[in-house]
Amino acid sequence: MNLEFLLIPIMESKDNDPWDCGHLSEWAAYSDDVKYYNDEFIEVKIHGSTSILLIDPKTENVIASAIYNKSKHTINDFIISSKDRKKGNAEKFIKWCIKNLKIDNISVIIDNI
């Protein structure tokens, strides 16, 4: 089995939120390519790995992110900022991915709280 991991340093948030997804500028600094689908959804390629980001267009803070595997039509490693939960953002993200990226598989860890 060949496993590859990518660690992206994300700035520590002011409120020490361990689920803070960072700012678009932090992702773009490490990116090989940035593709804007619209003012909220962005694709970022970093060292061969592709992530889909949901951002707040006013602040460019990243609300949610997931690793995107285009060949398998899958997203995994989905994370959403603690402060942006319970606002419909996760549902918005998943629905957008299903509709626009033709996602038909979401990989999850069953014991992830």
Side-chain angles (χ1 to χ4, degrees):
M1 179 185 299
N2 183 13
L3 297 176
E4 184 176 328
F5 295 92
L6 173 66
L7 299 176
I8 302 169
I10 301 294
M11 301 290 192
E12 185 175 322
S13 69
K14 293 174 189 162
D15 59 0
N16 295 321
D17 178 0
W19 299 105
D20 186 10
C21 296
H23 190 271
L24 179 58
S25 63
E26 296 166 358
W27 288 79
Y30 292 93
S31 178
D32 304 325
D33 186 26
V34 177
K35 176 182 177 183
Y36 287 79
Y37 289 100
N38 56 40
D39 61 344
E40 292 182 299
F41 288 92
I42 298 170
E43 178 180 299
V44 179
K45 292 183 181 177
I46 302 174
H47 305 298
S49 180
T50 303
S51 293
I52 300 299
L53 309 177
L54 169 61
I55 66 161
D56 177 335
K58 294 177 186 168
T59 64
E60 292 193 338
N61 287 328
V62 179
I63 295 169
S65 69
I67 303 295
Y68 171 46
N69 185 324
K70 186 175 185 175
S71 65
K72 293 184 180 179
H73 301 283
T74 302
I75 59 172
N76 55 34
D77 298 333
F78 176 76
I79 186 170
I80 186 163
S81 176
S82 295
K83 67 183 178 301
D84 293 309
R85 294 179 186 164
K86 300 185 189 262
K87 298 178 181 178
N89 288 312
E91 180 179 359
K92 176 182 186 175
F93 185 93
I94 300 298
K95 284 183 175 181
W96 184 89
C97 288
I98 291 169
K99 179 180 178 188
N100 295 282
L101 302 177
K102 309 302 185 222
I103 295 299
D104 59 13
N105 189 9
I106 300 171
S107 176
V108 297
I109 300 170
I110 59 172
D111 61 349
N112 187 340
I113 59 169

